Amino acid sequence: MSKKASIGVTGLAVMGRNLARNLARHGHTVALHNRSEERTRSLVEQFGDEGDFIPAYSAQEFVDALERPRQIVIMVKAGGPTDAVIEEFAPLLEPGDVIVDAGNAHFADTRRREQALRERGLHFVGTGVSGGEEGALHGPSIMPGGSKESYESLGPLFEDISAKVDGEPCCTHVGADGAGHFVKMVHNGIEYADMQLIAESFDLLRGAAGYSPAEIADVFGTWNTGRLDSYLIEITAQVLKHVDGGSGKPFVDVVEDAAEQKGTGRWTVQIGLDLGVPISGIAEAVFARSLSGSTELRSAARGLGGPTRTPLTGSALETFADDVEQALYASKVVAYAQGFNQIQAGAAEYGWDIDLGRVASIWRGGCIIRAKFLNDITSAYAAEPGLPTLLTSGGFRKAVEDAQDSWRSVISTAVRLGIPTPGFSTALAYYDGLRADRLPAALVQGQRDFFGAHTYRRVDRPGSFHTLWAGDLSEVEA
């Protein structure tokens, strides 16, 4: 009997190819399939010495190459292409076999697919994979959803190839049906916020303090040795140090200032609205990218008046980099707090049992937002699993309270000089809104009741009420 593969990968573009190589490097026999046969041949020719590959050139041949329960990883574009691949392979499989979608699918599609395939006796596992092409090859953070039964066979393989931190795999069974893709979506939303805050830090240090990109790179390099130690801070320093070979200018000065996006950030904001979760930091990061790409709008508005940018001097200049570090850290805590609150809300809405501490733990390595900071989040949820917000956790609470003067000072400087800081500003507004004894929402409720008889609740007795605004202004119980 010919040797069988323990897992198969179909879709051998960069991510699929690297994931297959990672599996083979860890001693797993991997079946390979791609719509274009040339990609399958190319992988074997270039990397066949890295492990055991079984190339297959038809769907049936691919399925026949797999041991039971068969485990097929799909690495194709989200949406219609994923559905097409599922429909190609599902009729060839048997009850108990597993189909894994390791792309950036919308979690609602994953829930739909999981239910449909469950009715056919198949396991469908929507799996978030973070770390880009290098992570896929060397060890990503892996976020599988689906049934517990499917994780019994799939989990050991994914844990084996995932990144490791302190000997622990950056992989865990997140929850049922679409939980894995939901958590990956929120991860990407947090990533948007983190990147925006870092970009605002750069803009502040350059626009307010007059630092050059190379000098700012040194600042970020220093930050990366402390509590902001992270992959994103590390690569930011490298990008800022880079000099364009053609022009001799700093790389950041020759790149068009229009940030693109693939959609997961927008999904995060849309679902946040659906769930009623205020993820304002993530939303502002998405809107900032949209604004940056609104070239005609920006061109038309470029002549609008604003303050003169006078660089800081004296003691204000001397402390500014430290103040920005404080503001960045505090705003970062807010962004992560909002993201974890969204995961909590999603779990409650869709019936998922998600361990937030484990989520933080598997984000410590392999993924784009990997950071020293996540050790503290892991510890916070381990100490208090029902933590309402990271902002009330002891260590984070003290750090943010200690950062307040610098945080407010940096934003004041930005406003005075006309430097846009939507991420920093909305994070502080969220923090102040949470800690307020009373919000102006009471007035909003009065307005809603006036024009639409939407009713309101009182602070001194239960029930809902309506004031007869067009009448004698008496109050009636609704």
Side-chain angles (χ1 to χ4, degrees):
M1 181 181 292
S2 60
K3 187 174 184 179
K4 298 274 189 177
S6 55
I7 193 165
V9 178
T10 180
L12 301 177
V14 176
M15 284 292 290
R17 179 185 65 193
N18 283 1
L19 197 65
R21 291 173 60 196
N22 190 354
L23 285 159
R25 287 178 173 187
H26 282 80
H28 305 290
T29 301
V30 185
L32 304 173
H33 175 267
N34 193 77
R35 185 176 60 179
S36 164
E37 295 183 5
E38 180 53 36
R39 276 193 175 167
T40 306
R41 292 193 182 93
S42 174
L43 193 159
V44 176
E45 289 171 3
Q46 292 183 62
F47 308 109
D49 60 348
E50 294 184 344
D52 291 330
F53 295 109
I54 301 177
Y57 300 102
S58 71
Q60 188 65 62
E61 185 182 357
F62 182 59
V63 169
D64 290 344
L66 295 165
E67 63 185 27
R68 296 289 314 277
R70 301 180 184 91
Q71 300 181 125
I72 295 175
V73 178
I74 298 173
M75 295 294 287
V76 300
K77 288 183 179 180
T82 299
D83 284 322
V85 172
I86 290 171
E87 284 310 308
E88 179 181 12
F89 285 102
L92 306 178
L93 299 177
E94 299 176 79
D97 289 349
V98 182
I99 298 177
V100 181
D101 175 12
N104 269 335
H106 194 290
F107 79 95
D109 287 338
T110 302
R111 300 189 78 212
R112 167 180 59 80
R113 292 164 180 152
E114 193 277 338
Q115 180 178 352
L117 290 173
R118 184 174 1 113
E119 292 172 356
R120 296 163 72 167
L122 302 175
H123 295 287
F124 184 74
V125 180
T127 299
V129 178
S130 179
E133 59 186 80
E134 286 301 305
L137 181 60
H138 300 294
S141 175
I142 307 179
M143 298 153 255
S147 65
K148 291 181 179 179
E149 292 82 4
S150 64
Y151 194 78
E152 289 177 5
S153 58
L154 189 65
L157 277 74
F158 278 174
E159 290 177 13
D160 192 25
I161 67 167
S162 71
K164 308 294 187 300
V165 175
D166 298 331
E168 295 182 14
C170 293
C171 175
T172 192
H173 180 235
V174 176
D177 54 71
H181 276 145
F182 186 94
V183 165
K184 175 57 164 54
M185 175 193 74
V186 175
H187 164 283
N188 285 21
I190 294 172
E191 177 187 310
Y192 274 54
D194 211 340
M195 293 172 69
Q196 175 64 24
L197 293 169
I198 291 171
E200 290 179 20
S201 300
F202 158 73
D203 204 20
L204 283 161
L205 290 171
R206 196 172 198 186
Y211 289 17
S212 68
E215 290 171 328
I216 300 171
D218 290 338
V219 171
F220 276 89
T222 299
W223 289 353
N224 202 47
T225 63
R227 62 182 179 174
L228 288 173
D229 176 6
S230 68
Y231 173 71
L232 285 173
I233 294 289
E234 176 189 345
I235 66 170
T236 298
Q238 294 181 34
V239 170
L240 290 173
K241 282 181 181 176
H242 183 51
V243 175
D244 176 55
S247 66
K249 295 180 180 179
F251 172 75
V252 290
D253 289 345
V254 300
V255 175
E256 185 177 349
D257 63 334
E260 299 179 359
Q261 51 187 311
K262 290 189 174 180
T264 47
R266 286 197 298 268
W267 291 350
T268 309
V269 176
Q270 289 164 353
I271 301 305
L273 290 171
D274 291 342
L275 294 172
V277 181
I279 51 169
S280 51
I282 297 171
E284 284 294 350
V286 173
F287 294 147
R289 292 196 189 190
S290 298
L291 179 62
S292 76
S294 300
T295 51
E296 291 184 8
L297 180 62
R298 291 176 61 199
S299 179
R302 194 151 282 134
L304 294 176
T308 301
R309 289 195 183 181
T310 305
L312 299 173
T313 59
S315 60
L317 176 59
E318 291 175 4
T319 63
F320 192 65
D322 289 339
D323 288 339
V324 173
E325 190 272 348
Q326 293 270 25
L328 174 57
Y329 185 82
S331 300
K332 183 183 175 87
V333 174
V334 169
Y336 280 70
Q338 291 179 350
F340 277 92
N341 282 155
Q342 183 170 11
I343 294 174
Q344 284 177 316
E349 176 70 18
Y350 301 110
W352 298 323
D353 181 17
I354 299 179
D355 184 333
L356 298 181
R358 284 293 298 147
V359 170
S361 178
I362 67 171
W363 286 351
R364 294 180 302 160
C367 68
I368 303 302
I369 64 171
R370 60 186 183 267
K372 176 181 178 181
F373 175 83
L374 283 154
N375 287 316
D376 299 328
I377 297 180
T378 302
S379 298
Y381 281 111
E384 189 179 350
L387 185 66
T389 172
L390 286 172
L391 289 163
T392 62
S393 176
F396 289 119
R397 176 173 183 161
K398 185 178 188 308
V400 173
E401 288 175 347
D402 289 347
Q404 274 194 78
D405 288 347
S406 293
W407 197 7
R408 297 179 192 282
S409 175
V410 164
I411 293 172
S412 296
T413 298
V415 171
R416 180 170 58 82
L417 299 180
I419 300 172
T421 54
F424 281 177
S425 299
T426 196
L428 180 59
Y430 177 85
Y431 176 78
D432 283 339
L434 277 188
R435 67 179 190 81
D437 289 333
R438 278 183 66 78
L439 293 169
L443 177 58
V444 173
Q445 282 300 88
Q447 294 168 332
R448 294 179 70 248
D449 188 59
F450 190 107
F451 66 68
H454 292 298
T455 75
Y456 52 87
R457 294 187 299 275
R458 298 176 59 95
V459 298
D460 53 359
R461 62 179 186 272
S464 296
F465 301 89
H466 167 59
T467 292
L468 302 176
W469 298 103
D472 63 1
L473 298 182
S474 61
E475 183 178 79
V476 297
E477 191 164 0

